[in-house]
Each structure stands twice: as structure tokens, then as C-alpha cells.
Amino acid sequence: KNQVEQSPQSLIILEGKNCTLQCNYTVSPFSNLRWYKQDTGRGPVSLTIMTFSENTKSNGRYTATLDADTKQSSLHITASQLSDSASYICVVSEGTGGFKTIFGAGTRLFVKA
Amino acid sequence: EADIYQTPRYLVIGTGKKITLECSQTMGHDKMYWYQQDPGMELHLIHYSYGVNSTEKGDLSSESTVSRIRTEHFPLTLESARPSHTSQYLCASSDLAGGNYNEQFFGPGTRLTVL
């Protein structure tokens, strides 16, 4: 069964600190992996996308990595800000014609002053 | 900012009422989706559409129905709302042709409360 698992479930850090969120998947065949940020009460917004041949992608203070061999991805946030408080969702798309996407449960990040 | 809109943003209604949640997108996307999300929980796909006159049920069973008469419009209807329908409903769209690797663009969501 295709699955996407994220850890930790929630995380509290102090403003200015770095953090890393994890995503493990069992989706096959693999097409791409995307990290979304979802602010409370809003829809998710795409941060990064990586295909099979890419192992890192940056978007400002957000850096995602992908190890397609071990089927693991991470999202690293540098110098966290209060506005980074949100849920971060890992989404993996199947490499089939239907482009089915599997959502992780998300990591809830709280950045405190 | 994605050009996908949902109305209303918040809705509080009584049990037994019929409601329609609106979703429109101006990006010309063929594929559209409806997700249900409880607070702090993951998104669950309840309906999707490949294009006009196409509707499919998602992974999570839902008593709601959808229609796709126009490319840009994908409304969701509950014939008789119940407290168990209380949740956030998120609409999304993507380019069926695979452009941008099937990125889904999400609307702001409708927070539904059934009393």
C-alpha cells in the first residue's frame, strides 16, 4: 500500500533556531515529492518539488532533500520566524498516468518568541 | 497567489439543511478536487473531476455530491447536513496535462459547522 509518513507529529522551537522535518514514503512508482505549507485555516501552498533525479531544492529559508533510494525526504528550515508556525505536509505523486497523489498527515510546527 | 476561490469561507447551519459549497478557478485547469480536513488532521480526498461532466469519488466516503458543468466551477452539495459533516472543506485544481508536475493549487477552504 502506498503511504507517506511524517515525523515528528508536532514540534516547538524558538525563533531563530533551525529545524528539520522528516518524510518517509513507500509510493511506487515514484513521480515527484512536494512539500506544502498550510497556515491555520488556510489551504496548503507549495514550497518545493523534487523529481527522481533531484536530491535538493531550496526556496528561501526552506531546503528540501530527497533520497530516492531510501525513499526519504527532509525539509530544513533555517533561522525560523514566527510566521513559519504552520503545518508542513509531504505529498508524493505516483508515476502513473493518473498522477495520484498521497498526502502525509503533516508536521505541526510552532515557533515561539 | 492561486486563482482559486471558495465561498462561503465560514458557514454555520442547522441539522437537515441543504448546502452548497462553491469553488471556482480561473487557471483553466482540467482536474479539480475536494478534500475534507478536520482540525490538526490530514487531508482526505472525497471527490475529484478530470473535466466537464466527469466526477469521481475519492478515498474517503462522503455523503456529499459534486457536479462539473463548467471547467472553472466545481460545487459540492450536502442534501441534509448533520453534525458529523462539521469540518473544513478544501477545493483544489491542477493541470491534467502534467504541467508543473501536477501541482495542486488550493483554495482558502470553507469551515462548515452543523449544529
Side-chain angles (χ1 to χ4, degrees):
Chain A
K1 179 183 177 183
N2 287 330
Q3 289 185 310
V4 176
E5 296 184 352
Q6 293 187 242
S7 62
Q9 188 174 19
S10 63
L11 181 62
I12 302 173
I13 62 172
L14 292 175
E15 186 179 16
K17 298 296 185 181
N18 303 335
C19 67
T20 300
L21 315 180
Q22 300 291 342
C23 173
N24 297 333
Y25 63 93
T26 60
V27 178
S28 181
F30 173 85
S31 174
N32 62 80
L33 185 148
R34 194 183 296 274
W35 283 92
Y36 281 89
K37 177 186 179 187
Q38 184 179 21
D39 292 316
T40 301
R42 308 289 297 183
V45 176
S46 179
L47 291 174
T48 65
I49 180 174
M50 289 175 292
T51 60
F52 185 87
S53 59
E54 298 174 295
N55 55 25
T56 187
K57 185 70 69 75
S58 291
N59 178 0
R61 295 179 296 102
Y62 301 102
T63 299
T65 65
L66 173 65
D67 186 334
D69 291 332
T70 62
K71 298 187 177 181
Q72 296 179 324
S73 176
S74 65
L75 180 68
H76 185 76
I77 303 174
T78 303
S80 61
Q81 300 176 359
L82 297 178
S83 60
D84 291 332
S85 294
S87 287
Y88 292 85
I89 305 170
C90 177
V91 182
V92 181
S93 292
E94 286 184 347
T96 60
F99 296 100
K100 183 175 181 179
T101 54
I102 298 95
F103 285 74
T107 291
R108 188 88 174 103
L109 175 65
F110 300 89
V111 180
K112 300 180 70 173
Chain B
E1 193 79 14
D3 296 320
I4 181 164
Y5 310 97
Q6 292 186 242
T7 57
R9 291 294 315 280
Y10 304 93
L11 181 61
V12 181
I13 60 169
T15 297
K17 299 292 185 182
K18 177 181 179 179
I19 61 165
T20 297
L21 308 185
E22 301 288 349
C23 176
S24 296
Q25 50 95 6
T26 59
M27 296 174 282
H29 286 167
D30 293 302
K31 202 167 180 180
M32 296 188 72
Y33 317 74
W34 275 103
Y35 292 89
Q36 184 174 342
Q37 184 182 34
D38 292 328
M41 303 298 287
E42 63 210 88
L43 282 77
H44 291 284
L45 180 67
I46 52 175
H47 298 283
Y48 62 99
S49 166
Y50 287 106
V52 171
N53 295 324
S54 157
T55 60
E56 305 286 344
K57 291 190 178 296
D59 303 321
L60 181 68
S61 175
S62 174
E63 294 168 343
S64 59
T65 59
V66 292
S67 62
R68 190 87 182 275
I69 298 173
R70 303 198 315 267
T71 297
E72 63 273 19
H73 195 213
F74 192 40
L76 180 145
T77 298
L78 276 167
E79 290 292 334
S80 180
R82 297 205 302 268
S84 61
H85 296 139
T86 295
S87 189
Q88 171 152 295
Y89 293 84
L90 289 161
C91 180
S93 71
S94 67
D95 184 355
L96 184 61
N100 204 20
Y101 295 101
N102 203 43
E103 176 180 0
Q104 293 185 30
F105 294 86
F106 286 83
T110 294
R111 168 71 65 188
L112 173 65
T113 302
V114 184
L115 303 176

